[in-house]
Amino acid sequence: MAQVPQTFFDALAVRTWCGLALSALGRAREEIDAINVYPVADGDTGTNLYLTVESAATAVEAVFAGHEAGAAPVRPPSLADAAHAMAHGALIGARGNSGTILAQLLRGMAQVLAAESEATHTDGAGLRLALRQAADAARQAVAHPVEGTVLTVADAAADAAGGAQGDCGTIARAAHRGACAALAATPEQLAELGRAGVVDAGGRGLVAVLAALVETFTGEAPGMPGPSGQPGLSGPPVRGGSVRVQSARRTEGLDDADEADDADDCGRAPGEEGGNAPDAGRGGEAGAAHERGPDGEGDGQDGEGDGPAFEVIYLLEAEDAAVGRLRQRLDGLGDSLVVVGGDGLWNVHVHVDDAGAAVEAGVEAGRPYRIRITHFGADDAHTHGGRRPPRERVQRAVVAVVPGEGLVGLYSEAGATTVLARPGEPPASGELVEAVRRAHAREVVLLPNDADLRHTAAAAAEQARTEGIRVALIPTRSAVQGIAALAVHEPDRRFDEDVVSMTSAAGATRCAEVVVAVRESWTMAGICQAGDVLGLVDGDVAVIGSDVAATAEGVLDRMLSAGGELVTLVLGDEAPEGVAERLESRVREAYLAVDTVVYRGGRQGALLLIGVE
């Protein structure tokens, strides 16, 4: 369904913006990771921005869920509620240099949006002030601002918005155009970018976030710039208001050209091909760090220069005065210092040679926790508290997201480490990373089993790779495709061969589901009403009916008309009695030499999942 534009900046607009921004960063994540050349060559800015916005979006969803679960009549959250949640979620989930700066940008906006606690919305003038406060707050949070980074892009967006008049859509468009122009100029402002022929990675991420803001208020996503350098409009509207997104990720050993990166090309440096990594290699996070030498240059293109050896990040509970002293202490220890937050809770980011001293400085200032230390010079040295599990890693494991309790046992018996996705509660990328760690393997095959989780899974895979784990993401769209992939999994053969075999099995499995419509809607099969039974084949509504068994039969006939050897049925808890027997009978009578296998999925959301191999 098309995105409904938001007229004012209210709580729903905050929710929609977060969902669209998460989707935009998911599409652009790999591209942004590939163009990092400043200040450190660790190639994870896109992933860090995605994880930061994911945390913000999850916090906003929690606010809406809390209000929807309250006593009737249901009162929607206020703009202040949603803005505070967005800022807090970004703060506690901020990753890396650019993610920390983005968290402060969102906090600055929230300070304006939530200024009147009982206000239901703000207008274009309010958005203009919020963008200005965001840029100012982010610049103040950085110890030594550098031009040609995300700070420059944020300032340009605020300046352009300040010169515009009109509603929120008009202001957002102006901010996006200003950001695009500033992003295109970053290679001329920062020598490292100019040598690599790329734009600033953090600034590229901010442009994607601002494009989502435009889409929130206009229903249209800005496209790549035309000859004048100004962005046009292209592409269909995207459904917003949800944390769940779709993905485009190329994985090891796979041929998934259909998952091409459709990220906005605004601000590409001259000569840079869409989605391709520059020859200069993978660099570090764009954003703010002070100069490493008298010539103002950074630590080099390959991450093996003479810059600090460690990235240290932690949350800190401390008073304002103590944080001021902490800034001075950390500024003397290293660079890339960014301290964001307020009201007693802060997120601290710094690059140092002495990681212990950076943590000790936090202890002196208050209570540091969620401490993350990354050694830039070691591919597998992402440490947590300086300790590593003592037991030996297994060679290979499979990690799978499963939609119901009933399938957990099936996947576990097949040797997979599982992550349960309850209806309406998709797992975050952090949960998938923890599952990968829990599998304790050198090589991991990741099965998201949901098209809407592929971005989340891609971010988790990228994070796990920084810890030295070889991860291949197979873009399974349904649990039945995951079952097919597991059936051919052989951990003793070469990793690439195993991944290709599993991918082929999943790709050869057509998937469908039978669900109940919750509202009236236009579909590929016509108009459906609330309560209608819908049969979806490969994500599109193919059959609309009133009876579950009859609708499922119609779906099954459509799928088997193209051939098949095995039908897999996964029954949800709410599937009516006898539906499995009726479908098994239908297959026996109408389709010779086709076998049927039935599993109980439990509380999986859909009444029935169908796979045909």
Side-chain angles (χ1 to χ4, degrees):
M1 295 175 62
Q3 169 64 37
V4 178
Q6 302 295 315
T7 306
F8 296 104
F9 208 151
D10 57 8
L12 182 58
V14 173
R15 184 190 201 185
T16 301
W17 181 32
C18 287
L20 291 172
L22 187 62
S23 180
L25 287 171
R27 293 192 301 271
R29 182 190 60 78
E30 189 173 12
E31 173 203 332
I32 295 172
D33 281 346
I35 64 172
N36 301 3
V37 295
Y38 183 84
V40 176
D42 52 359
D44 60 358
T45 290
T47 299
N48 287 335
L49 289 171
Y50 179 88
L51 294 173
T52 301
V53 173
E54 181 184 53
S55 181
T58 299
V60 173
E61 288 296 318
V63 166
F64 272 84
H67 279 262
E68 291 166 0
V74 175
R75 181 181 70 86
S78 67
L79 174 59
D81 291 336
H84 278 310
M86 174 184 69
H88 181 74
L91 177 67
I92 64 174
R95 300 293 186 94
N97 204 358
S98 292
T100 306
I101 293 172
L102 178 60
Q104 189 70 351
L105 286 166
L106 296 179
R107 177 178 173 80
M109 290 192 70
Q111 289 172 336
V112 173
L113 298 177
E116 297 182 22
S117 59
E118 297 304 317
T120 59
H121 66 271
T122 191
D123 55 11
L127 176 56
R128 197 163 52 233
L129 290 174
L131 290 168
R132 180 74 268 166
Q133 175 62 20
D136 292 345
R139 187 167 285 271
Q140 293 166 8
V142 176
H144 302 274
V146 171
E147 298 309 321
T149 66
V150 64
L151 297 179
T152 306
V153 177
D155 278 337
D159 291 344
Q165 299 292 329
D167 59 12
C168 288
T170 301
I171 302 303
R173 283 186 192 277
H176 180 258
R177 291 192 182 102
C180 280
L183 180 64
T186 56
E188 302 172 6
Q189 296 174 293
L190 203 54
E192 289 86 343
L193 302 178
R195 285 195 298 269
V198 298
V199 296
D200 177 66
R204 171 67 181 86
L206 180 57
V207 164
V209 172
L210 290 173
L213 187 65
V214 173
E215 188 173 357
T216 298
F217 295 117
T218 68
E220 297 177 302
M224 64 181 295
S228 66
Q230 297 302 317
L233 292 174
S234 65
V238 178
R239 181 180 61 195
S242 172
V243 177
R244 306 189 74 182
V245 297
Q246 295 180 344
S247 176
R249 168 73 185 168
R250 189 169 302 281
T251 57
E252 280 188 88
L254 311 188
D255 182 16
D256 50 342
D258 58 315
E259 294 185 46
D261 186 0
D262 58 352
D264 180 293
D265 291 314
C266 174
R268 287 193 193 281
E272 183 187 347
E273 295 296 329
N276 293 333
D279 291 340
R282 296 169 71 87
E285 296 207 13
H290 66 74
E291 295 82 356
R292 302 276 172 82
D295 60 355
E297 293 185 359
D299 64 342
Q301 302 300 313
D302 59 3
E304 297 179 358
D306 57 358
F310 296 97
E311 178 185 57
V312 178
I313 305 173
Y314 50 79
L315 293 178
L316 177 71
E317 293 178 355
E319 299 297 326
D320 290 5
V323 171
R325 294 190 295 272
L326 174 67
R327 289 179 192 270
Q328 295 179 350
R329 173 81 182 277
L330 293 178
D331 194 25
L333 290 175
D335 59 24
S336 293
L337 174 60
V338 186
V339 180
V340 304
D343 302 321
L345 181 62
W346 308 82
N347 190 305
V348 178
H349 171 280
V350 67
H351 295 172
V352 295
D353 281 321
D354 190 343
V359 175
E360 288 173 5
V363 173
E364 292 175 4
R367 186 179 78 86
Y369 61 103
R370 290 195 187 180
I371 301 168
R372 296 193 299 273
I373 300 172
T374 303
H375 183 206
F376 292 127
D379 292 337
D380 61 347
H382 188 88
T383 62
H384 297 268
R387 297 180 296 175
R388 287 198 177 275
R391 63 189 177 93
E392 183 69 18
R393 290 183 182 272
V394 299
Q395 183 60 32
R396 189 175 309 158
V398 176
V399 173
V401 180
V402 293
E405 296 88 345
L407 288 178
V408 169
L410 175 66
Y411 272 79
S412 297
E413 288 174 7
T417 299
T418 60
V419 178
L420 180 61
R422 296 179 176 84
E425 300 177 17
S429 57
E431 294 177 68
L432 301 188
V433 173
E434 288 302 320
V436 171
R437 292 176 184 145
R438 193 167 70 247
H440 204 63
R442 297 182 183 90
E443 301 167 340
V444 171
V445 179
L446 184 55
L447 306 175
N449 290 340
D450 187 336
D452 290 342
L453 284 179
R454 286 183 295 178
H455 273 328
T456 301
E462 193 68 28
Q463 177 66 26
R465 291 183 188 114
T466 68
E467 302 178 20
I469 305 170
R470 189 180 185 189
V471 182
L473 170 61
I474 297 178
T476 48
R477 303 187 305 275
S478 170
V480 292
Q481 289 189 325
I483 292 171
L486 267 178
V488 299
H489 169 52
E490 292 185 14
D492 293 333
R493 64 184 164 196
R494 289 179 59 249
F495 185 62
D496 289 343
E497 293 177 355
D498 197 28
V499 170
V500 169
S501 177
M502 295 176 70
T503 303
S504 298
T509 303
R510 283 159 285 155
C511 53
E513 59 182 329
V514 177
V515 299
V516 176
V518 296
R519 64 179 65 88
E520 180 182 0
S521 179
W522 289 86
T523 76
M524 296 288 289
I527 301 176
C528 71
Q529 306 294 330
D532 283 348
V533 181
L534 307 180
L536 290 82
V537 179
D538 291 327
D540 293 323
V541 176
V543 181
I544 301 175
S546 58
D547 179 75
V548 173
T551 302
E553 278 190 344
V555 170
L556 197 54
D557 287 339
R558 282 174 175 262
M559 298 177 75
L560 287 172
S561 65
E565 299 175 355
L566 176 66
V567 173
T568 301
L569 305 175
V570 182
L571 300 176
D573 276 350
E574 298 182 3
E577 290 293 330
V579 66
E581 291 78 5
R582 180 169 168 178
L583 294 176
E584 286 183 287
S585 176
R586 174 67 177 171
V587 172
R588 281 195 306 270
E589 294 172 1
Y591 303 97
L592 298 177
V594 176
D595 296 324
T596 304
V597 60
V598 180
Y599 301 108
R600 294 283 175 178
R603 193 165 62 96
Q604 62 184 21
L607 297 174
L608 178 66
L609 301 178
I610 304 174
V612 173
E613 301 177 44

